[in-house]
């Protein structure tokens, strides 16, 4: 079982195939962000867990972002797919190690990237970091998978997830295996209540 960084290093060359399989969903989220932010001036932007950067670059183009643009991913092989893109800054490390004087008007963390953080505390620390780096009035948009989503996972799976959550003595509930071929990692699938835990220590407002 690989950690998230090594997992994405392993699958980087075929990542586009995984994205293609979910393209309708990914485009729907991207278009929602573009529509939501369309009347807002976005001059600085950070994308956390950017992967191959395709979605971040789409947002940069459509929102006409002219200022600092930082794309973060701890997978070296994923960021290597962006080596020929010169108008953005790449940060190849855990986002919790990011240091800058720049404040961002938009920060995104999409496609359940939050599920690849190693613990609840790491996710709480990330939300604190987001608060630190947002401009006054800035916007943080995140997208997570919901393990209570019956339409996606089905009634039986959601019922099993609820049962596990009720008896979660060892705090293992919500963690699932993610595998492509022989490459495997663990990913956290959220419940609707998790977000309250992440936001509670901050002054971020959920809308």
């Amino acid at each position: 079982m690989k950690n998230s960084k090594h997992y994405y290093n392993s699958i980087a060359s075929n990542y586009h195939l995984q994205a293609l399989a979910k393209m309708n969903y990914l485009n729907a989220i991207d278009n929602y962000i573009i529509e939501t932010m369309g009347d807002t001036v976005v001059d600085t932007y950070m994308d956390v867990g950017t992967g191959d950067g395709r979605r971040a670059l789409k947002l940069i183009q459509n929102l006409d972002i002219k200022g600092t643009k930082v794309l973060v991913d701890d997978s070296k092989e994923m960021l290597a797919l962006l080596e020929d893109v010169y108008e953005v800054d790449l940060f190849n490390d855990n986002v919790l190690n990011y240091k800058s004087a720049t404040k961002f008007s938009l920060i995104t963390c999409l496609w359940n990237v939050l599920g690849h953080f190693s613990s609840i505390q790491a996710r709480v620390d990330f939300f604190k970091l987001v608060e630190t780096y947002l401009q006054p009035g800035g916007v943080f948009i995140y997208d997570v998978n919901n393990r209570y989503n019956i339409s996606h996972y089905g009634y039986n799976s959601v019922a099993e997830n609820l049962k596990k959550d009720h008896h979660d003595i060892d705090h293992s509930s919500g963690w699932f295996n993610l595998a492509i071929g022989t490459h495997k990692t663990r990913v956290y699938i959220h419940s609707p209540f998790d977000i309250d835990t992440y936001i509670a220590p901050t002054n971020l407002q959920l809308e």
Side-chain angles (χ1 to χ4, degrees):
M1 192 72 66
K2 302 179 179 181
N3 64 26
S4 179
K5 178 173 71 173
H6 292 134
Y7 173 79
Y8 281 100
N9 280 338
S10 299
I11 70 163
S13 61
N14 293 314
Y15 177 79
H16 66 285
L17 298 177
Q18 311 308 315
L20 186 62
K22 299 290 186 180
M23 193 57 66
N24 288 341
Y25 167 74
L26 301 180
N27 282 338
I29 297 296
D30 296 342
N31 293 338
Y32 168 80
I33 295 171
I34 292 166
E35 180 179 349
T36 299
M37 301 298 297
D39 295 329
T40 304
V41 175
V42 180
D43 53 1
T44 51
Y45 172 52
M46 172 190 281
D47 182 44
V48 178
T50 199
D52 62 1
R54 181 194 65 83
R55 301 177 70 193
L57 295 176
K58 175 182 177 180
L59 296 179
I60 289 168
Q61 181 178 13
N62 281 271
L63 297 175
D64 195 29
I65 303 172
K66 302 296 188 184
T68 300
K69 299 170 283 287
V70 179
L71 308 188
V72 179
D73 206 293
D74 63 359
S75 167
K76 180 180 179 181
E77 297 303 321
M78 292 300 289
L79 286 187
L81 302 173
L82 277 158
E83 285 181 346
D84 295 331
V85 179
Y86 299 105
E87 68 269 23
V88 300
D89 297 325
L90 304 181
F91 183 72
N92 180 210
D93 199 350
N94 188 315
V95 67
L96 298 179
N97 296 326
Y98 182 76
K99 299 288 189 297
S100 175
T102 301
K103 302 287 186 178
F104 298 93
S105 46
L106 174 63
I107 298 175
T108 55
C109 184
L110 306 175
W111 203 5
N112 203 47
V113 164
L114 274 174
H116 290 282
F117 283 69
S118 60
S119 66
I120 292 175
Q121 187 58 55
R123 293 188 285 274
V124 169
D125 289 343
F126 172 58
F127 271 65
K128 290 178 180 177
L129 180 143
V130 166
E131 181 181 30
T132 298
Y133 283 110
L134 274 180
Q135 293 178 357
V139 176
F140 172 41
I141 298 177
Y142 56 88
D143 167 29
V144 297
N145 294 356
N146 173 12
R147 63 181 182 267
Y148 298 165
N149 185 341
I150 293 176
S151 65
H152 183 76
Y153 295 111
Y155 176 83
N156 290 337
S157 293
V158 170
E160 184 64 22
N161 290 338
L162 287 165
K163 181 180 178 181
K164 287 181 180 178
D165 288 354
H166 184 68
H167 300 285
D168 187 24
I169 298 174
D170 60 357
H171 303 289
S172 63
S173 187
W175 286 99
F176 297 86
N177 291 337
L178 177 63
I180 297 177
T182 60
H183 307 297
K184 299 178 182 180
T185 190
R186 296 279 280 170
V187 64
Y188 185 75
I189 307 299
H190 291 75
S191 84
F193 309 108
D194 288 322
I195 303 302
D196 292 337
T197 300
Y198 309 156
I199 289 178
T202 75
N203 291 312
L204 296 172
Q205 296 182 348
L206 182 63
E207 296 182 357

